[in-house]
Amino acid sequence: MSDTFVVVGGDAAGMSAASKAKREDPEMDVVVFEKGEWVSYAACGMPYYVKGEVEDLNDLVTVTPEEFRDERDIDLRTGHEVIGIDPGAETVTVSGDGKTFEQPYDHLLIATGASAIEPPFDGLGLDGVFTIHAMDEADAIENYVAAHSPDSAAIVGGGYVGIEMVEALSAHGIDVHLYEMLPHVLQPFGEAVAEAVEDHLREQGVQLHLATAVSGFTGAERVERVTLDDESHPADIAIVGVGVESNTDLAADAGIELGETGAIATDEYGRTNYETIYAAGDCAEARHVVTGNSDHVPLALTANRAGRAIGQTVAGNPEQVGEIAGTAIVKAFDLGAARTGIVDEEQAREAGFDPVSMTISAPTRAHYYPGASELTVTLLADRDSGRLLGGSVVGQEGAKRIDTVATALTAGMTVTELRNADLAYAPPFSPVWDPILTAAKVLEGEVADE
Amino acid sequence: MSDTFVVVGGDAAGMSAASKAKREDPEMDVVVFEKGEWVSYAACGMPYYVKGEVEDLNDLVTVTPEEFRDERDIDLRTGHEVIGIDPGAETVTVSGDGKTFEQPYDHLLIATGASAIEPPFDGLGLDGVFTIHAMDEADAIENYVAAHSPDSAAIVGGGYVGIEMVEALSAHGIDVHLYEMLPHVLQPFGEAVAEAVEDHLREQGVQLHLATAVSGFTGAERVERVTLDDESHPADIAIVGVGVESNTDLAADAGIELGETGAIATDEYGRTNYETIYAAGDCAEARHVVTGNSDHVPLALTANRAGRAIGQTVAGNPEQVGEIAGTAIVKAFDLGAARTGIVDEEQAREAGFDPVSMTISAPTRAHYYPGASELTVTLLADRDSGRLLGGSVVGQEGAKRIDTVATALTAGMTVTELRNADLAYAPPFSPVWDPILTAAKVLEGEVADE
């Protein structure tokens, strides 16, 4: 009899695992339980739907439920919630279609994702106050904007979702205020990026309120104002994007160990403390390529890659889930900003490094070639070993150059090795020394000679 | 008494070395002899001057002779040609200002560059027939176009200079014919790139004549026709760009060893067979990062980097010149094309590998995000070890993604390691799996498991 692979959660990690397992072993029974109706959707595309650049929410779906069922022969059950796991009996308890039943498994993947954090704000339940993490919310925001034509918006949280929603709502002619508790937006991107993005947001007419704590929202029927400690501002719509938290209750209740980050602890194959139970995606930890420690960076590629690896492993061909560098990129109007590895010096010290960093600005094309803009590059290295620890870039073009740094981190390169990389040059594409190389060249002077 | 560092040739390698040596050791006497009048200029920018996108030829000069002399305290003598080297006496013979004199050196750098190959064509001396390698030629072409408003042009040679000149002359409304002896343009970029570029050139109205040998040019006063084996076509202007050859006569006459490629042989510090004589830039060999063998790829970054390293070495702080991957990028109208490492399977076999390659096409942004285009990626690996050997990309955006591959080559990564690189994803910048990762994922299936 063939094995049964049960997957809890039908998004990136879950559907990647289901698809890969079935592709590797067509005999395997693959059952996916998804409590909602959407599967395999690009949550990252939601701001662009709200902005109006993506016309149909269905465009964000990569593979439809019908395709998973009919073409990939996966037993995908939407509207089914897994409410319990019994690791001893190797069964899950499922609620759906008005009944509750037990489903046995040989291999189980927990891919329950994460949820938007709901801070203890007053008036969070008012009409017109949204979080954005699920497809239904994107639709609700879009409908609300269409129905009420808000004049003003409060975005709470200057992370990448907040920044993207600022752009999305500004496109509707709404006067957008962004509230961030910390002194800077995009905290994981470091100060050089934050300052460039803040300047650009202001240029675009966005009202920035940094180091500002929101206490809640007020309004009669619908949200009307956002309240701070000692003042309040108009807000005809509000979006709260202060981060996500892993959905780990199901796992924790079953005795599955969580890591220090609060997400599910896993080994290099994505396995939990139970031999036949795996976890992947936004609910799981992964190993950081620079520190070697477990970390939690809920991002789409990590989820896809880990899911795919686990699908291959349960099909009998073990594959490691891979390490993460926390590489992220975000568009803020005309700017692109990106980061990878360790950008924060304090974080580097905590990981046992003696960090040194440099920030440079250099043109993205030959200085004489039309259309060049400045790219600001920050690189961080360990002073003694010269090992590259991380970096960030920000500019009107070329933010994907972060991939060069991410690749160097994956390879464990030193600053000198990166400086010696033979990157591509022609006037329309780069100066002779690519900005990444220039940054490496400057930083090299600050690290110990080999 | 301080050392004297003599540099022969005032372009990328020469001026980088002179500047770096002086910066590291301000006491050093640094003398540069340049037989022409231009120094430190961006030869790669010339097509864009001819096209009209760069207004002033002086914009291509990175640092002026006056700045080298006054700000960097370099004894730069333009209009001075070194006509002999005596390695025993450690002197060079210089001709300039109407006299000939001996200049002693403690360290000597030969940075004599390369010259455009002049094939044995009839009518090469006709007015309106140009090569393009020196600044004066760019000016002459620009003047000729302005003076004679040519209706038709013959570009001979489908390398990157040829492709760039096709674009430059097309911008003047000239009917451009491109002649290439080989079956494809851009031979070092491989077939996938060549075919995409050829299709695009045709779309742009360029007449391609592949596998077509030119025998020469005819005309009364000026060039009028380009002649092939058995026919001829109108050509009111002709540009011959069939490659370059290293300027090695000066070195060879002095007993300096040339390598198998015909360029000057050097060690990892850029040193020739004489302890105190170095060579760098288009006249010198460098070590290939994939094969470990000496190779000759005359490109700007290689020249700059090697010059800089030699400047540091002669100043007493030895620095290796770095290895090359032959990374190159070229714009062809709306397309960008790039390559790195070994792209040709035959060449891989000659270097002792068992090559396997895959070509994929994938969107440059999320499929639902506006403005995405297809990037075609080819990756080549060694079947047994899985080691990445090289790759190419071509598309309307994202050609700089070749840098990810180049960095992976520098680090000696396998296809699996590259596939596990944590590259940046957000809908405006990439699909979840960057096209480079998708290519690695597909190629991974063809190499042996670790």
Side-chain angles (χ1 to χ4, degrees):
Chain A
M1 211 185 85
S2 54
D3 275 6
T4 300
F5 178 33
V6 171
V7 174
V8 187
D11 202 357
M15 296 319 297
S16 294
S19 301
K20 182 67 175 175
K22 195 76 195 177
R23 207 158 53 235
E24 292 272 313
D25 179 3
E27 298 301 305
M28 185 176 277
D29 288 321
V30 178
V31 189
V32 179
F33 297 109
E34 164 56 45
K35 67 176 175 179
E37 291 307 320
W38 296 93
V39 297
S40 182
Y41 63 87
C44 312
M46 292 190 296
Y48 306 101
Y49 172 71
V50 173
K51 187 179 177 187
E53 287 184 327
V54 176
E55 271 191 32
D56 189 335
L57 212 45
N58 286 301
D59 291 347
L60 302 186
V61 174
T62 312
V63 184
T64 66
E66 293 66 39
E67 287 167 331
F68 279 117
R69 291 177 188 128
D70 301 343
E71 292 170 22
R72 301 196 183 178
D73 196 19
I74 290 167
D75 183 1
L76 166 61
R77 309 206 211 152
T78 49
H80 282 69
E81 183 174 6
V82 173
I83 56 175
I85 302 171
D86 184 339
E90 298 201 326
T91 59
V92 296
T93 308
V94 185
S95 164
D97 278 345
K99 52 185 190 287
T100 298
F101 60 95
E102 305 291 305
Q103 167 70 51
Y105 65 81
D106 296 294
H107 319 278
L108 177 69
L109 170 61
I110 302 174
T112 44
S115 301
I117 291 175
E118 298 203 350
F121 289 167
D122 299 327
L124 210 56
L126 281 170
D127 256 22
V129 179
F130 300 92
T131 57
I132 178 161
H133 195 66
M135 292 286 266
D136 298 336
E137 291 164 304
D139 221 13
I141 293 170
E142 169 71 7
N143 290 338
Y144 195 87
V145 168
H148 300 292
S149 301
D151 290 326
S152 59
I155 312 284
V156 184
Y160 59 88
V161 173
I163 300 284
E164 287 165 350
M165 289 309 297
V166 163
E167 183 181 333
L169 292 186
S170 294
H172 291 274
I174 300 171
D175 183 28
V176 177
H177 291 244
L178 177 63
Y179 300 88
E180 168 57 54
M181 243 170 61
L182 299 173
H184 285 296
V185 301
L186 293 176
Q187 194 272 334
F189 288 66
E191 239 173 73
V193 168
E195 287 173 1
V197 170
E198 288 160 10
D199 287 348
H200 186 63
L201 291 177
R202 290 192 188 100
E203 279 166 25
Q204 298 286 330
V206 178
Q207 308 287 320
L208 286 193
H209 307 272
L210 302 176
T212 301
V214 165
S215 58
F217 308 98
T218 58
E221 281 172 54
R222 304 195 300 263
V223 63
E224 290 169 25
R225 300 190 76 79
V226 52
T227 53
L228 312 177
D229 272 359
D230 46 9
E231 54 181 327
S232 74
H233 302 155
D236 301 327
I237 183 172
I239 294 173
V240 179
V242 297
V244 298
E245 52 193 354
S246 300
N247 297 327
T248 54
D249 288 352
L250 177 70
D253 288 349
I256 292 168
E257 281 172 17
L258 307 185
E260 279 182 29
T261 68
I264 301 171
T266 56
D267 71 7
E268 63 266 45
Y269 290 92
R271 204 176 261 120
T272 68
N273 54 316
Y274 291 102
E275 182 71 17
T276 57
I277 305 181
Y278 300 78
D282 290 2
C283 64
E285 290 187 338
R287 205 170 314 279
H288 195 285
V289 73
V290 176
T291 66
N293 298 330
S294 291
D295 208 338
H296 181 236
V297 186
L299 287 171
L301 176 60
T302 308
N304 273 272
R305 177 147 44 206
R308 180 177 181 271
I310 291 165
Q312 186 174 322
T313 297
V314 301
N317 182 11
E319 169 78 13
Q320 300 197 358
V321 294
E323 300 182 312
I324 58 168
T327 311
I329 189 166
V330 61
K331 177 175 179 292
F333 294 94
D334 302 332
L335 278 189
R339 55 93 62 219
T340 189
I342 305 178
V343 175
D344 183 60
E345 297 205 0
E346 189 50 39
Q347 196 191 335
R349 272 187 287 270
E350 279 165 21
F353 299 107
D354 177 14
V356 53
S357 77
M358 294 296 283
T359 298
I360 62 105
S361 283
T364 52
R365 310 179 185 188
H367 67 275
Y368 52 81
Y369 191 85
S373 60
E374 290 283 308
L375 193 71
T376 298
V377 182
T378 299
L379 291 180
L380 199 79
D382 180 52
R383 199 185 303 267
D384 277 352
S385 63
R387 181 176 170 194
L388 191 69
L389 301 178
S392 71
V393 304
V394 60
Q396 297 209 0
E397 65 173 9
K400 264 294 256 180
R401 277 164 156 126
I402 199 69
D403 285 352
T404 300
V405 184
T407 306
L409 292 181
T410 302
M413 286 168 93
T414 64
V415 177
T416 299
E417 286 166 341
L418 175 59
R419 196 262 295 150
N420 266 332
D422 190 3
L423 304 188
Y425 158 63
F429 300 99
S430 176
V432 176
W433 292 85
D434 186 273
I436 299 289
L437 296 180
T438 298
K441 195 165 62 167
V442 172
L443 182 56
E444 192 185 17
E446 305 296 314
V447 302
D449 269 335
E450 287 132 77
Chain B
M1 214 186 83
S2 54
D3 273 6
T4 299
F5 178 32
V6 170
V7 175
V8 188
D11 203 355
M15 296 319 297
S16 295
S19 299
K20 182 67 176 173
K22 195 75 194 178
R23 208 157 54 235
E24 292 273 312
D25 179 4
E27 300 300 306
M28 185 177 277
D29 289 319
V30 178
V31 189
V32 179
F33 297 109
E34 164 56 46
K35 69 177 174 179
E37 292 306 320
W38 297 93
V39 296
S40 182
Y41 63 88
C44 311
M46 292 190 295
Y48 305 100
Y49 172 72
V50 173
K51 187 179 177 188
E53 288 184 325
V54 176
E55 270 193 31
D56 188 337
L57 212 47
N58 286 301
D59 292 346
L60 302 186
V61 174
T62 311
V63 184
T64 64
E66 292 66 38
E67 288 167 331
F68 279 117
R69 290 176 189 129
D70 301 343
E71 293 168 21
R72 302 195 183 180
D73 196 19
I74 291 167
D75 183 2
L76 166 62
R77 308 204 212 155
T78 50
H80 281 69
E81 183 174 6
V82 172
I83 56 175
I85 301 171
D86 184 339
E90 298 200 326
T91 59
V92 296
T93 308
V94 185
S95 163
D97 279 343
K99 52 186 191 288
T100 297
F101 59 95
E102 304 291 305
Q103 167 69 50
Y105 65 82
D106 297 293
H107 319 278
L108 178 68
L109 170 60
I110 302 174
T112 44
S115 301
I117 292 175
E118 298 203 350
F121 289 167
D122 299 328
L124 210 55
L126 280 171
D127 256 20
V129 179
F130 300 93
T131 58
I132 177 161
H133 196 65
M135 293 285 267
D136 298 336
E137 290 164 303
D139 220 15
I141 293 169
E142 168 71 8
N143 290 338
Y144 194 87
V145 169
H148 300 293
S149 302
D151 291 325
S152 61
I155 312 285
V156 184
Y160 59 87
V161 173
I163 300 284
E164 287 165 349
M165 291 307 298
V166 163
E167 182 181 332
L169 292 185
S170 294
H172 291 273
I174 300 170
D175 183 27
V176 176
H177 292 243
L178 177 63
Y179 300 88
E180 168 58 54
M181 242 170 61
L182 299 172
H184 285 297
V185 300
L186 292 175
Q187 193 271 334
F189 288 67
E191 239 172 72
V193 167
E195 286 172 3
V197 169
E198 287 159 10
D199 287 347
H200 186 64
L201 291 177
R202 289 191 189 100
E203 278 166 25
Q204 297 287 330
V206 177
Q207 308 286 322
L208 287 192
H209 307 272
L210 302 176
T212 302
V214 164
S215 58
F217 308 98
T218 57
E221 283 173 52
R222 305 195 300 262
V223 63
E224 290 167 26
R225 298 190 78 79
V226 53
T227 53
L228 313 177
D229 271 1
D230 46 9
E231 55 182 325
S232 74
H233 302 153
D236 301 326
I237 183 172
I239 295 174
V240 179
V242 297
V244 297
E245 54 194 353
S246 300
N247 297 326
T248 53
D249 289 351
L250 177 70
D253 288 349
I256 293 168
E257 281 173 15
L258 306 185
E260 278 182 30
T261 69
I264 300 170
T266 56
D267 70 8
E268 63 266 45
Y269 290 92
R271 204 175 262 121
T272 68
N273 55 317
Y274 290 102
E275 183 71 17
T276 57
I277 304 182
Y278 299 80
D282 291 1
C283 65
E285 290 186 339
R287 205 168 316 277
H288 195 284
V289 74
V290 176
T291 65
N293 298 330
S294 291
D295 208 338
H296 180 234
V297 185
L299 288 171
L301 177 60
T302 308
N304 273 272
R305 179 147 42 208
R308 180 175 180 273
I310 291 164
Q312 185 173 323
T313 297
V314 301
N317 181 12
E319 170 79 12
Q320 299 196 0
V321 295
E323 299 182 314
I324 59 169
T327 311
I329 189 167
V330 62
K331 177 176 179 292
F333 295 94
D334 303 330
L335 278 190
R339 54 94 60 220
T340 188
I342 305 179
V343 176
D344 183 59
E345 297 204 1
E346 189 51 41
Q347 196 191 335
R349 273 186 286 271
E350 280 166 21
F353 299 106
D354 177 15
V356 53
S357 76
M358 293 296 283
T359 298
I360 62 104
S361 284
T364 52
R365 311 179 185 189
H367 67 274
Y368 52 80
Y369 192 87
S373 59
E374 290 284 306
L375 194 70
T376 298
V377 181
T378 299
L379 291 179
L380 198 79
D382 180 51
R383 198 183 305 264
D384 278 350
S385 64
R387 181 176 170 193
L388 191 70
L389 301 177
S392 71
V393 304
V394 61
Q396 296 209 0
E397 65 173 9
K400 265 294 256 179
R401 276 162 156 124
I402 198 70
D403 286 350
T404 300
V405 184
T407 305
L409 292 180
T410 302
M413 285 168 96
T414 64
V415 177
T416 298
E417 287 166 339
L418 175 59
R419 197 261 297 150
N420 266 331
D422 190 3
L423 304 189
Y425 157 64
F429 300 100
S430 176
V432 176
W433 292 85
D434 187 273
I436 299 290
L437 296 180
T438 298
K441 196 164 61 165
V442 172
L443 181 55
E444 192 186 17
E446 305 296 315
V447 302
D449 269 333
E450 286 134 76

